[in-house]
Amino acid sequence: MNITLRQISYFVATAEEGAISAAAAALGISQSAITESVRALELQTGVALFARHSKGVTLTYQGHQFLRHSRLILAAVADAARAVDATKPESISGTLTLGVTSLVAGYFLADVLAQLRRVFPKLVVKVVEEDRSFIEHLVVNGELQVALMLTSNLANQDALESEVLVRSSNRVWLSAGHPLVARKQIALAEIAQEPVIGLMIDEMAQTCRGIWRPTGLHPNIVLKTSSVEAVLSLVATGAGIAVLPDIAFRQWSLEGDRLEVRPLEESVPTVDVGVVWRRGSMMAEPASVFLALARGYRTIRHLTG
């Protein structure tokens, strides 16, 4: 069934005028256009919507039912048109209170905020960076409208809505000269005795445990740091390897040393980045436009990443 908005408009006009000729006059089109449209609509729905008589037409029972839904459709379309007009980028103003966690702040926030400034120049953004649990608390309490954060480990799922933007695979980070660079894939058993550099931000330690736990093995963590740049430098100079998500990976350290990355043989959980807001709450306009822009960012990442 491929019912068009034009067919619905012609049907509603005919029902309200009570005659095809009157509907044609009201719409400024030919009677034949309405006759053909109504006939096609009846063929598509499989029911007679009008009973024809010498003075015009009257709705059948099915026609009355279809009219009720048709008016709702036209009203929804009109509301959508008004909403688009009211939300032109240059007209959007107000304040967006945005929460963000550390890893996301370093690798997503700048791009998203730059797009937000370009598209909605009058929108004021206030950013709060905290750990995951406190950001969740602030969103649930209504102190933050929305948060950009890791959604893999959300605790308050009953109180929060979330939408994933990017699923990032965990892979093995290696120095360019490491013997395992020759491998296309690496098993966790092969690196169980390797020195591992652990990242401690955004619950990466919890993610690490989730990767290793099913194997019964334990990583040989020789150094823990909250700095992604430190991990990159240490791995690149051969101090150890790391098993971390692609979102934080760069081919070169700050010192100019090269890194390599290889997939794991095992299927391991992804690290998911997404938008979070309070469940059941009416989203304020600044948060709504941010969510729409973030969804566009997800599409761009999917097409180019």
Side-chain angles (χ1 to χ4, degrees):
M1 189 179 294
N2 186 26
I3 296 173
T4 68
L5 192 61
R6 178 175 296 176
Q7 287 175 317
I8 291 174
S9 299
Y10 289 1
F11 164 74
V12 171
T14 303
E16 291 177 346
E17 296 294 338
I20 288 177
S21 58
L27 295 174
I29 60 174
S30 67
Q31 292 186 40
S32 62
I34 291 187
T35 299
E36 291 173 8
S37 178
V38 170
R39 185 182 296 118
L41 191 57
E42 290 180 320
L43 286 172
Q44 287 172 291
T45 58
V47 297
L49 300 173
F50 293 109
R52 278 75 171 174
H53 51 80
S54 59
K55 293 184 179 180
V57 295
T58 55
L59 287 166
T60 61
Y61 172 76
Q62 291 91 343
H64 278 288
Q65 298 300 310
F66 195 77
L67 178 62
R68 180 168 63 87
H69 289 287
S70 295
R71 283 173 170 159
L72 290 174
I73 291 169
L74 294 179
V77 171
D79 286 345
R82 284 191 293 270
V84 169
D85 185 66
T87 57
K88 290 178 179 177
E90 62 271 17
S91 69
I92 299 296
S93 60
T95 300
L96 171 68
T97 53
L98 173 66
V100 66
T101 50
S102 299
L103 189 62
V104 176
Y107 296 92
F108 283 82
L109 186 62
D111 284 349
V112 174
L113 290 185
Q115 291 184 56
L116 203 64
R117 287 194 302 272
R118 287 194 297 269
V119 179
F120 305 105
K122 294 183 180 179
L123 195 64
V124 176
V125 183
K126 294 185 177 180
V127 179
V128 175
E129 180 183 330
E130 289 286 352
D131 61 37
R132 189 269 312 157
S133 60
F134 193 57
I135 290 293
E136 286 191 38
H137 167 76
L138 294 177
V139 174
V140 171
N141 283 357
E143 297 174 63
L144 294 173
Q145 296 167 355
V146 68
L148 184 64
M149 59 190 292
L150 297 188
T151 58
S152 315
N153 301 323
L154 283 181
N156 293 313
Q157 295 191 24
D158 291 339
L160 296 169
E161 296 274 5
S162 64
E163 186 168 323
V164 175
L165 302 177
V166 177
R167 297 189 189 278
S168 184
S169 297
N170 284 288
R171 297 196 288 175
V172 184
W173 298 11
L174 305 156
S175 67
H178 197 287
L180 288 174
V181 166
R183 300 291 302 278
K184 291 184 177 180
Q185 289 186 318
I186 299 172
L188 287 170
E190 295 178 90
I191 56 175
Q193 299 307 313
E194 292 278 339
V196 173
I197 312 299
L199 182 63
M200 296 296 109
I201 61 171
D202 262 9
E203 301 181 26
M204 285 295 101
Q206 179 179 336
T207 300
C208 179
R209 289 193 293 272
I211 291 171
W212 287 88
R213 189 181 298 114
T215 68
L217 301 170
H218 300 280
N220 176 29
I221 298 178
V222 296
L223 190 150
K224 298 178 181 180
T225 177
S226 59
S227 168
V228 175
E229 296 299 341
V231 175
L232 290 165
S233 295
L234 289 162
V235 170
T237 55
I241 66 169
V243 181
L244 289 171
D246 286 343
I247 55 173
F249 181 76
R250 283 206 323 273
Q251 195 77 57
W252 302 91
S253 70
L254 288 177
E255 296 79 17
D257 296 308
R258 183 180 175 86
L259 290 89
E260 295 286 343
V261 65
R262 295 293 182 270
L264 286 161
E265 286 187 3
E266 294 86 352
S267 177
V268 298
T270 58
V271 172
D272 300 341
V273 178
V275 182
V276 175
W277 64 96
R278 186 169 62 178
R279 185 182 296 277
S281 64
M282 183 174 293
M283 193 173 284
E285 186 176 59
S288 295
V289 299
F290 174 81
L291 180 57
L293 184 141
R295 284 169 175 154
Y297 179 74
R298 171 182 57 197
T299 302
I300 292 169
R301 294 276 301 188
H302 176 71
L303 291 175
T304 63

